[in-house]
C-alpha cells in the first residue's frame, strides 16, 4: 500500500472520488440541457482520464494543439476538435496525417487559414470539418460579426477537402446568442447548413444552451482550481487536484517556505486574490509569493497561538490554475481516502504535457 | 542546411554567437574580480552549455534541485552546489547517492535540516559540504543574523558526515557585507574556518566582491531576458534566446495573435512593464496578453501606416523570464547568423527540464 504522505515532493495528486464526481456532475448537467459534451483535455492531458469522460457520455474531445491531438489519437481517440487556427506547411502535413485516423474538426477565423487547411486536405485526399471561430469578447481570435462569419462560411462551403460545420466560440457569453442566430439565418438563405455550434468554458454550459450551441467544451471542471472556486463555479471539496509539497524553511519571521514555486504551480494569476494557492491542512496560511522553486506561505492571517507549518511537514496546495500546473508535471498520482489515509491507486504519466506545437 | 525560419513553431532558439559572448564576458568580469564562478544551470538546463561554462573557467555549477544535479552528474559534472534545503528521507537518500560520485555542497538554514543531511551522509559513509544560507532580503529562506549563522555553523562543525564550508545568499546585496564580516569574526573566535562565501544574481558579481564573497553564482546571464534588460544589466543584442512563433490570427481589430502563450513563455512577470515579450522583427508591437496557447500582440503603438504582423509570419519573441521559458520546452535549437540567414547548428534536448524534485 502506497500512501500519498510518503510520496516525494512536490508531486501532483488527484482525489479519484472527487474526479469521478466532477465528471458525472458535468455530464449529467450537459445531458439535462440536451447538449453534446466535448471535454477539453488541456486540463489533464491524460488519455486514461479522457476515456473516463467518453465512458460517462462525452461525444468526443477537444485538444488545443495538434501535438495533444496526436497523443490522444495514438491512444485511440477518434473524434477530436482542435479549436485553433492551424497555420504553416509542417502543421498542415501533421493535420492531414491525423485526419486519416480520426474524425477531425478544426476552427478557423480567416480565409487564408481555411484555404491552407482545404488545400492540404484535398492534396492528401482527406476531409476535415471546419468551424468558423467567432470572437466572444476575448479578442484573441475569431471573426467579429455575423456577416464576417457568413462570408467565411460560404468560402469554406465552396472549398474542396473540407466541410463547413458551423461555429465555435470561447468562452460562451450571452451576447453570442443574437450573433449565432443572425449568422444561421444568413447562411440558411445561402443554403449552407449549420450543424454544429460549439461553446465552451467551465461552468458556462447553460450559457452555451441559451445561445443556441449544440455542444459544450469544458476543461477545468475535471480538476477545478482556485480560479474556478473564486468564480463561484465549484466548492473547495470539488477541487480534485492538489500538489503535495514539503515545508523546507521556517527561518524567515512570518513565513513558512515550501518546496514548490512557479516551476510547480505556474505564475498564472487568473482570478488571483492575495493567495496563489489554498493550503488544505492550514487554510489560514496563504501562498503569498513564489520564485521558481520556493513558495512562501504567509502566516499573517494565522490566528494567534495556531501552529505554523514546520520543516518536514507535507501540505496539499490547490493551485490557481489547474491546466498550467498539469503542464509542469510529468506524472500525477490518483488516490482515494480510505480509513483516514490517502491511498495511491494509480500513477499516470502525462503524455500530452508540453505539447506546444 | 536547416534554417531557423523553417522550424515548426513555437520553438526556442539560441544565437550561439551571443551565447558564447555572454559566457566570455561574465567569466572575464568574475576573473577580474578574483572570484570563483559557479554558474547556475537553471536558465539553460543543458549539460552541453554547462560544459561551455566550465571550459570558460567556471569552477563548478549550481543546481537548484536534486533532480537537476542528478542530470548533470550523469553528464560527468563533478562539483555541484545545491543552494536549497534538502528535507525528507527520499531526497536524503538521493543526496548521498549523488555525494558518492560528485563533490556536493548543500545550503541549509536550520539545525533540523543540517542534522538530516549529516545523519544521512554519515550513515552512507559520504561527506557533504554545508553552507549556511543567510537571508539577504528575499524572505524565503536563510538565517536572519550573524549570531544565528554562527550558532548553526558551530552545530554543523560538530556534526559527522558533513563539513562546514561557509555562507550562501541570494541575491548578493550590499548590506550582506557587514553581516558576513561579523559572522566570520564570530566563527574565527570559535576556531571554525569560513572557506566559502557564495553570492549570486545576474549582474551582481561586483556586489558579491564588495560583500566579501569568494564565489559568484549567475544564471540568467547565459541567455538574458526582458527582466535582465529592464534592470539595465544587458542590452537587447545580448539576449541570446528567443522563441520563434507564428502569427495565427489577425481577426481582432488592433491585435495580431501568435501561437505561443503562457504555456510557451510562462506568466512569470518579474520586472514586467506593459509587455510580456519583445518582438525582434517589430519592436513597436508588444505582447499584451497571454492565454495558454495564444499570445496577443497589441498594435496600439505601431506607427500609422506601418505593416502589422500577418498570418503565417514568423517572429522572434524575447521572453520576460528565460529560466521559466526553458522549463516549458523539450528542445532548443542553436543557430548562427550567416549571410542574412539564421542557420541551425545544433539541436539540444533539455534533460533537466521539469526537475522539480
Amino acid at each position: 500500500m502506497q500512501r500519498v504522505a510518503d510520496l516525494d515532493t512536490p508531486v501532483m495528486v488527484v482525489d479519484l472520488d472527487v474526479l469521478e464526481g466532477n465528471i458525472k456532475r458535468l455530464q449529467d448537467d450537459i445531458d439535462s440541457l440536451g447538449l453534446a459534451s466535448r471535454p477539453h483535455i488541456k486540463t489533464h492531458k491524460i488519455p486514461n482520464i479522457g476515456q473516463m469522460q467518453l465512458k460517462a457520455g462525452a461525444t468526443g474531445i477537444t485538444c488545443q494543439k495538434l501535438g495533444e491531438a496526436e497523443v490522444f489519437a495514438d491512444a485511440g481517440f477518434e473524434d477530436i476538435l482542435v479549436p485553433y487556427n492551424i497555420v504553416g506547411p509542417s502543421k498542415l502535413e501533421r493535420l492531414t496525417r491525423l485526419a486519416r485516423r480520426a474524425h477531425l474538426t478544426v476552427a478557423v477565423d480567416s480565409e487564408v487559414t481555411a484555404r491552407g487547411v482545404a488545400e492540404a486536405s484535398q492534396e492528401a485526399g482527406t476531409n476535415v470539418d471546419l468551424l468558423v471561430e467567432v470572437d466572444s469578447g476575448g479578442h484573441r481570435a475569431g471573426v467579429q460579426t455575423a456577416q464576417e462569419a457568413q462570408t467565411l462560411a460560404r468560402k469554406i462551403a465552396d472549398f474542396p477537402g473540407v466541410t463547413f460545420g458551423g461555429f465555435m466560440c470561447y468562452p460562451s457569453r450571452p451576447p453570442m446568442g443574437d450573433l449565432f442566430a443572425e449568422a444561421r439565418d444568413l447562411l440558411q438563405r445561402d443554403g449552407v447548413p449549420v450543424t454544429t455550434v460549439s461553446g465552451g468554458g467551465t461552468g458556462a454550459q447553460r450559457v452555451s444552451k441559451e445561445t443556441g450551441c449544440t455542444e459544450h467544451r469544458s476543461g477545468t471542471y475535471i480538476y477545478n482550481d482556485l480560479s474556478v472556486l473564486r468564480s463561484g463555479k465549484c466548492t473547495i471539496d470539488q477541487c480534485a487536484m492538489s500538489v503535495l509539497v514539503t515545508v523546507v524553511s521556517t527561518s524567515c519571521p512570518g513565513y513558512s517556505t515550501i518546496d514548490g514555486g512557479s516551476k510547480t504551480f505556474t505564475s498564472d494569476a487568473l482570478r488571483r486574490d492575495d493567495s496563489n494557492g489554498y493550503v488544505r491542512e492550514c487554510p489560514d496560511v496563504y501562498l503569498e509569493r513564489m520564485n521558481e522553486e520556493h513558495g512562501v506561505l504567509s502566516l499573517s492571517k494565522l490566528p494567534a497561538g495556531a501552529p505554523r507549518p514546520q520543516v518536514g511537514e507535507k501540505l496539499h496546495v490547490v493551485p490557481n490554475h489547474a491546466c498550467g500546473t498539469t503542464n509542469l508535471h510529468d506524472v500525477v498520482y490518483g488516490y482515494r481516502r480510505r480509513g483516514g489515509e490517502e491511498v495511491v491507486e494509480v500513477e499516470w504519466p502525462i503524455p500530452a504535457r508540453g505539447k506546444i506545437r
Side-chain angles (χ1 to χ4, degrees), chain A residues 172-248:
Chain A
S172 293
R173 283 185 178 143
M176 300 307 287
D178 290 344
L179 193 152
F180 285 148
E182 187 183 352
R184 266 182 196 274
D185 286 349
L186 290 169
L187 285 167
Q188 194 164 19
R189 279 178 242 158
D190 294 331
V192 177
V194 174
T195 55
T196 300
V197 181
S198 183
T202 284
Q205 55 268 23
R206 275 157 208 282
V207 183
S208 285
K209 176 66 179 177
E210 287 155 15
T211 52
C213 292
T214 61
E215 72 172 22
H216 183 74
R217 313 181 314 275
S218 197
T220 314
Y221 85 98
I222 189 93
Y223 287 161
N224 287 319
D225 58 20
L226 282 199
S227 171
V228 178
L229 181 74
R230 287 173 185 143
S231 74
K233 288 169 180 160
C234 75
T235 66
I236 191 66
D237 290 339
Q238 291 167 347
C239 291
M241 187 270 277
S242 58
V243 180
L244 189 76
V245 297
T246 300
V247 177
V248 292

Side-chain angles (χ1 to χ4, degrees), chain A residues 44 46-57 61 72 75-77:
Chain A
H44 56 74
I46 297 172
N48 306 67
I49 297 182
Q51 295 290 2
M52 294 164 72
Q53 292 170 309
L54 286 190
K55 198 175 280 181
I61 58 167
F72 277 73
F77 287 75

